[in-house]
Amino acid sequence: MQRPAMEQAGSAAGTQPVRPRGGHWGAMIFIGPFLLYVAVFLLLPTLRLFSQAFSGDHGLTLQYVEALGQPQTVKAFINSIVLSAVSAAVGLIVGGLVAYFLLRPQAPRGLRSLVTSFSAVAANFAGVPLAFAFIATLGSLGMVTLWLKNLGIDLYGTGFSLYSMSGLIVVYAYFQVPLMIIVIIPAIEGLRREWREASESLGAGSWTYWRHVGLPILLPSLLSAYLLLFGNAFSAYATPYALTSGIISLVPIEISNVLSGNVMLAPQTGAALALGMIVVMVGVMLLYALAARRAGRWSGK
Amino acid sequence: MSARRMHPTGVIVLLLAGLYFAVPLVATGVFSLWEGGSRYGFNAYVSLVHKSEMWDSLWLSLRLALETIALSLVVLVPAVFWMHLRAPRMKPLFDFISVLPFVVPPIVLVAGLTALFHGPDWFVGTANYLVVPYVILALPYTYRALDVGMRALDLRTLTEASHSLGAGWGAFLLRVLVPNLASALAGAALLTIAIVMGEFTFANVLLFNTFAVYINYIGQTSATEAAALTLLSFLITWLAMLGVLLSGRGKGQAQLGGAH
């Protein structure tokens, strides 16, 4: 028979080592510049912050890292974390609901592509212009503030201010909700119709289906989306800078104050703050990787 | 039972969300036309058009975006190509590197860069220096676009065919690989434009007058002009994203901007 012989030949050809054209030189020329670039302009600067945060005038010191315990710094971290956590929760809930209703078979045709393409724009609508859009809308002389005043509603009289934590959350929602919609749509689409039909044929109503089937399957995807949104808000700098000009103490703002010499703090303090940010982000990304791996279980990838 | 009608809760949720996203754009538009009192007109736009600083900052950001695209592609295309063709075992390392810019926020990276590099002046003293962090900022998107683009190609056959026809590596990269990657490269380039045109952190800390820094500056003196520039900025983002979606491989690419 010819077949086994052919298979043998085929497998032999398949396992033959690739011709070493270029070999290691090729790898260095092709991949080397990329790895070098990342090492010099991403890893080394980050490592420099580590060494700076731990070094004083007389060698190693923990003084600057310990200074992270000061009330002012703790306040900045708490503000940043609360703002990120709440704005991510708003994004998760609103974005999740919009995506869910959008994917219902009853939703009008065309609406879906409209929403997803607008979400792609809004999720990328960056810092400063976004801040000014909201100042023009909800600032103390913003259009909506004035329109409401004409209707007899004094928005700022109710205690709301665009330049406060609640104001920041309203603004952050403008990029968090679209991001959530983009991220969660594939997961919701991954819910198979058969699962719903099976649970309905067993007598489950809509609530029971979501309680015992839908949400448990979506949970890892929702968790990873939440962490992504959290990280997105935690590293935001331009929006709060342009909006509040530093009235609210957030970690990125504090770092930039040190960098621009606006406060009389040693550069090591800035490095220690940056280190604290990296620690939070590493934690978020590790949890994200774990959640994303579990979320992949149902997509068959 | 009318099966095709949406649940009222759904209608309300979608309407409210639509309102929340439309109102700031409409309000910014109306605000940009405001000329004090109850007068409305195009004063803010007219005065902007005559400001050379506005054009300077706009061209600077655009130039930096093009430089970022060029440098990103020069560094990334050969690396991702070689990884796919000869070193697939390095894929986890590449994937890991591509998420690092999320772990190190821009404000942290700029702190590290200023702590590490103090010169030479021809390097850190001109706005071109911004391209260095911009390449890192765009890395997650450019890498993903190239990775997806190359996965769809039969690189082995392409390289062997072009080599057997006498093409060297340079000719292969420029005349075979790049044309085959056209839509992936277009997507990566447009996302980079959207990111760089709105980038504020690096430029503000390093004191270069880019478009976003200029918008922030003009906002201190003229709120209506800032509103006009905000609309222009939204338009630029919108055009870039439209291009990404039209370039075909937009799915999954147009995920997140990095410049909030």
Side-chain angles (χ1 to χ4, degrees):
Chain A
M1 296 263 286
Q2 258 190 335
R3 275 201 89 187
M6 263 176 67
E7 267 176 12
Q8 244 180 13
S11 73
T15 53
Q16 232 171 39
V18 183
R19 252 188 309 160
R21 194 208 317 256
H24 290 296
W25 283 108
M28 269 171 74
I29 291 167
F30 280 75
I31 293 183
F34 170 63
L35 294 181
L36 193 69
Y37 193 95
V38 172
V40 172
F41 296 123
L42 182 59
L43 294 183
L44 281 183
T46 311
L47 291 176
R48 178 77 187 96
L49 288 176
F50 274 77
S51 72
Q52 200 179 33
F54 288 104
S55 60
D57 295 336
H58 311 286
L60 278 179
T61 175
L62 283 176
Q63 149 192 11
Y64 298 107
V65 178
E66 275 165 5
L68 292 180
Q70 282 175 353
Q72 190 198 341
T73 318
V74 171
K75 181 77 184 152
F77 270 96
I78 291 178
N79 277 347
S80 274
I81 289 172
V82 167
L83 176 60
S84 310
V86 176
S87 75
V90 171
L92 182 85
I93 295 167
V94 178
L97 283 176
V98 169
Y100 166 75
F101 286 118
L102 203 61
L103 292 179
R104 306 254 58 207
Q106 301 90 336
R109 278 152 179 254
L111 187 64
R112 190 183 153 186
S113 53
L114 179 76
V115 173
T116 47
S117 52
F118 180 81
S119 297
V121 179
N124 287 284
F125 188 38
V128 177
L130 181 64
F132 281 120
F134 270 90
I135 290 173
T137 309
L138 283 171
S140 41
L141 288 173
M143 292 327 259
V144 170
T145 315
L146 295 182
W147 289 335
L148 284 176
K149 196 166 272 175
N150 284 342
L151 295 173
I153 305 168
D154 182 8
L155 191 60
Y156 277 68
T158 64
F160 173 84
S161 165
L162 186 63
Y163 318 103
S164 67
M165 281 289 265
S166 52
L168 279 179
I169 290 165
V170 171
V171 179
Y172 276 33
Y174 209 88
F175 56 77
Q176 297 282 52
V177 171
L179 179 56
M180 177 68 187
I181 294 174
I182 297 171
V183 178
I184 206 65
I185 276 183
I188 297 182
E189 276 181 328
L191 292 175
R192 301 227 189 96
R193 185 184 290 258
E194 292 87 354
W195 296 336
R196 182 161 199 143
E197 285 167 357
S199 63
E200 271 167 7
S201 70
L202 291 170
S206 190
W207 167 248
T208 319
Y209 164 74
W210 279 107
R211 169 78 185 75
H212 293 287
V213 183
L215 278 180
I217 290 173
L218 273 187
L219 198 60
S221 302
L222 291 173
L223 188 63
S224 67
Y226 181 80
L227 290 162
L228 198 67
L229 266 57
F230 183 96
N232 196 32
F234 190 72
S235 57
Y237 164 75
T239 311
Y241 180 91
L243 201 58
T244 70
S245 1
I247 300 168
I248 297 174
S249 164
L250 297 168
V251 189
I253 305 283
E254 297 287 318
I255 296 175
S256 93
N257 282 340
V258 175
L259 284 175
S260 56
N262 281 345
V263 285
M264 295 304 285
L265 289 173
Q268 290 92 328
T269 312
L273 281 166
L275 216 57
M277 259 192 115
I278 293 183
V279 169
V280 173
M281 288 307 289
V282 166
V284 168
M285 292 311 283
L286 282 180
L287 289 173
Y288 172 79
L290 282 178
R293 189 188 293 175
R294 292 210 62 155
R297 192 197 282 175
W298 294 99
S299 63
K301 277 178 195 159
Chain B
M1 286 238 307
S2 51
R4 294 223 48 89
R5 192 170 311 156
M6 274 189 84
H7 198 274
T9 325
V11 177
I12 292 168
V13 167
L14 291 179
L15 272 182
L16 283 180
L19 208 62
Y20 167 77
F21 282 99
V23 164
L25 292 177
V26 174
T28 308
V30 175
F31 192 82
S32 72
L33 298 172
W34 190 52
E35 290 179 357
S38 55
R39 283 183 300 118
Y40 288 87
F42 288 93
N43 252 354
Y45 293 87
V46 172
S47 105
L48 271 178
V49 169
H50 293 294
K51 283 198 170 137
S52 60
E53 298 109 307
M54 197 279 287
W55 291 110
D56 290 346
S57 70
L58 191 59
W59 295 136
L60 175 63
S61 279
L62 203 59
R63 199 187 82 208
L64 292 176
L66 296 179
E67 288 176 13
T68 306
I69 292 166
L71 186 58
S72 297
L73 296 185
V74 166
V75 172
L76 268 165
V77 169
V80 179
F81 160 71
W82 193 264
M83 181 270 281
H84 270 277
L85 183 70
R86 293 283 168 86
R89 273 189 301 178
M90 289 181 92
K91 175 118 171 65
L93 175 70
F94 274 55
D95 287 345
F96 174 72
I97 290 175
S98 77
V99 298
L100 280 184
F102 291 135
V103 181
V104 182
I107 189 71
V108 173
L109 182 58
V110 74
L113 285 171
T114 49
L116 188 63
F117 299 112
H118 301 288
D121 209 42
W122 59 262
F123 181 49
V124 301
T126 74
N128 295 322
Y129 179 47
L130 286 172
V131 171
V132 165
Y134 286 177
V135 169
I136 301 283
L137 196 63
L139 176 64
Y141 313 101
T142 38
Y143 168 72
R144 172 134 30 130
L146 290 177
D147 184 40
V148 171
M150 291 206 202
R151 206 180 301 159
L153 296 180
D154 185 355
L155 292 177
R156 183 158 302 232
T157 309
L158 283 178
T159 41
E160 279 172 9
S162 71
H163 284 318
S164 70
L165 291 171
W169 282 114
F172 168 75
L173 286 177
L174 281 178
R175 294 174 56 189
V176 178
L177 191 61
V178 167
N180 269 299
L181 282 174
S183 69
L185 294 177
L190 288 161
L191 267 175
T192 308
I193 290 180
I195 292 169
V196 172
M197 291 307 288
E199 204 288 322
F200 178 72
T201 311
F202 295 108
N204 189 49
V205 171
L206 297 174
L207 303 175
F208 292 112
N209 214 352
T210 62
F211 189 48
V213 173
Y214 182 73
I215 298 181
N216 187 50
Y217 161 77
I218 208 77
Q220 320 291 329
T221 52
S222 165
T224 52
E225 288 177 20
L229 287 180
T230 294
L231 283 189
L232 177 61
S233 176
F234 186 83
L235 189 71
I236 292 172
T237 313
W238 182 76
L239 283 175
M241 287 301 133
L242 189 71
V244 172
L245 293 175
L246 289 182
S247 75
R249 293 182 208 268
K251 269 193 178 173
Q253 269 185 38
Q255 275 211 351
L256 18 131
H260 306 302

